Amino acid sequence: MCIRDRYQRRVRGDCPRAMATRVCIYGAGAIGGWIGAKLAQSGCCVSVVARGATLAALQQHGLRLREGDAVLSSEVRSSDDPAELGEQDIVVVAVKAPALAGVASAIGPLLGEDTMVVLAMNGVPWWFLHGLDTGDATGLRSVDRDGAISRGIAVKHVVGCVVHAGCSLDGPGQPCLRSSSGLVVGEPCGGSTPRTEHLATLLGTAGIATKVSARIQEDIWYKLLGNMTMNPISALTGATCDLIVDDDLVRGFAAKVMLEAKEVGAKLGVVISQTPEDRFAVTRKLGAFKSSMLQDHEAMRQVELDAILAAVRELAEVAGVETPSIDALFGLARLQAQVKGLY
């Protein structure tokens, strides 16, 4: 078998549009699959790094996105080897935080000099202090213990991204969009740049409403207030999030966690004007849903405690803020996950 034949067997769907924007989705779960499918439908040349059942599904029928009663099918290139997909204009990384170090070690063949790496992930990223007036632009050891992530993904490539969408999977390679208020993207060092404006336009044309943030750390921190409370509390209790916000004692504890996090952010120059009750109101609108961390516990998957709690404790040390409620929540959630082998 010639090299070209081997390539065609492992990489599905060479892009015939030479001038199309080349986008690679690294992590074709619910969020990555949704973004990839929408971009493919809009004419981008989309490829996917996948393995196992997801890779098999993509090679058989491409991405199948369900929106309401409609199912949109998109042929995409797919491989378990990034080197076979080649240099990209944009790489969207949509994996759980514990998997990011592995992505960073393999992502190199996808990166050219000007490739954007859009991190569509929850929690505090390793580059969070870049662009803040702390005098410290180093990576966070709580989410990048040995520096593997910062070595594999230089900050010059990074575009921060906050996802405000509810997605699930009907099966491998079959994302389902339940609700969306879009994405927020921004430069680690702040401000609007031609590349972030281009990215927002590209996503908007694909039907994903996207705002460019002048200070993406604020958008990350605002979403974190919900994730750092609802996720671990739901995992500890097994409760859906509506039950958490309707319980006066539990809601009161969650509010203390949020207020401590707000103080940490403010000391770092990341000011959030919304109150805990404002954040609870957003959660109430979502109804009786299981948080992603509760779902991870039920499926016995690794949990994202470092990105949503340990990183906040590390930043609290930088800011000189005491966080007794955050410490208690992290300790309980960590012990539970360790006992179950999930951390």
Side-chain angles (χ1 to χ4, degrees):
M1 182 184 297
C2 69
I3 293 175
R4 178 63 181 172
D5 290 339
R6 290 201 303 269
Y7 180 84
Q8 288 182 320
R9 285 175 67 108
R10 293 190 65 192
V11 182
R12 172 81 175 183
D14 289 345
C15 181
R17 302 180 300 278
M19 300 303 293
T21 300
R22 299 162 298 173
V23 181
C24 181
I25 306 298
Y26 212 128
I31 296 298
W34 163 56
I35 295 173
K38 297 295 282 185
L39 288 172
Q41 287 286 319
S42 72
C44 291
C45 180
V46 174
S47 58
V48 179
V49 178
R51 60 185 179 183
T54 300
L55 178 59
L58 294 174
Q59 292 184 333
Q60 180 178 359
H61 56 64
L63 277 170
R64 290 180 175 176
L65 171 65
R66 181 161 63 88
E67 291 187 75
D69 295 330
V71 176
L72 304 176
S73 296
S74 303
E75 185 174 0
V76 296
R77 302 174 66 205
S78 56
S79 175
D80 55 4
D81 182 0
E84 293 195 340
L85 300 175
E87 185 177 309
Q88 305 289 314
D89 298 309
I90 300 167
V91 179
V92 178
V93 179
V95 299
K96 294 284 188 179
L100 185 55
V103 172
S105 70
I107 199 172
L110 302 175
L111 304 183
E113 181 64 25
D114 298 319
T115 302
M116 284 185 275
V117 178
V118 182
L119 297 159
M121 300 171 60
N122 283 330
V124 181
W126 81 95
W127 51 264
F128 190 82
L129 290 173
H130 285 264
L132 298 183
D133 298 327
T134 63
D136 184 356
T138 61
L140 296 176
R141 64 183 183 276
S142 52
V143 290
D144 190 17
R145 286 185 175 84
D146 60 1
I149 298 173
S150 57
R151 288 194 301 271
I153 307 174
V155 174
K156 72 173 186 176
H157 290 295
V158 170
V159 173
C161 178
V162 178
V163 179
H164 295 291
C167 297
S168 58
L169 281 174
D170 292 339
Q174 300 178 65
C176 171
L177 177 66
R178 302 193 309 273
S179 63
S180 172
S181 53
L183 307 179
V184 183
V185 299
E187 297 283 1
C189 290
S192 176
T193 61
R195 71 174 187 172
T196 54
E197 292 294 340
H198 169 71
L199 177 62
T201 299
L202 188 75
L203 290 163
T205 301
I208 302 175
T210 304
K211 182 184 81 171
V212 176
S213 173
R215 198 170 179 82
I216 191 65
Q217 285 90 341
E218 291 180 357
D219 298 276
I220 290 170
W221 208 251
Y222 172 70
K223 185 175 181 183
L224 179 72
L225 295 182
N227 281 336
M228 72 183 298
T229 50
M230 294 301 113
N231 270 295
I233 292 173
S234 65
L236 286 164
T237 62
T240 52
C241 290
D242 60 320
L243 299 179
I244 293 172
V245 296
D246 286 340
D247 187 294
D248 291 343
L249 295 178
V250 178
R251 187 177 69 252
F253 174 67
K256 291 179 180 179
V257 172
M258 290 183 184
L259 289 172
E260 289 176 2
K262 282 188 65 175
E263 184 180 358
V264 172
K267 287 291 183 69
L268 297 173
V270 181
V271 178
I272 303 300
S273 61
Q274 292 86 351
T275 67
E277 284 302 324
D278 293 332
R279 202 65 185 83
F280 295 141
V282 173
T283 302
R284 281 194 178 92
K285 292 179 181 179
L286 300 176
F289 75 96
K290 292 183 178 181
S291 75
S292 60
M293 189 172 289
L294 176 55
Q295 294 179 56
D296 288 340
H297 269 268
E298 291 177 342
M300 297 300 289
R301 294 189 292 257
Q302 292 289 302
V303 293
E304 296 182 294
L305 283 176
D306 288 339
I308 70 167
L309 282 173
V312 180
R313 296 182 70 244
E314 182 178 349
L315 290 169
E317 292 179 12
V318 174
V321 176
E322 294 186 358
T323 56
S325 298
I326 293 173
D327 294 349
L329 182 56
F330 177 62
L332 290 167
R334 180 179 61 183
L335 182 58
Q336 179 202 33
Q338 288 173 335
V339 168
K340 296 174 71 173
L342 306 181
Y343 179 82

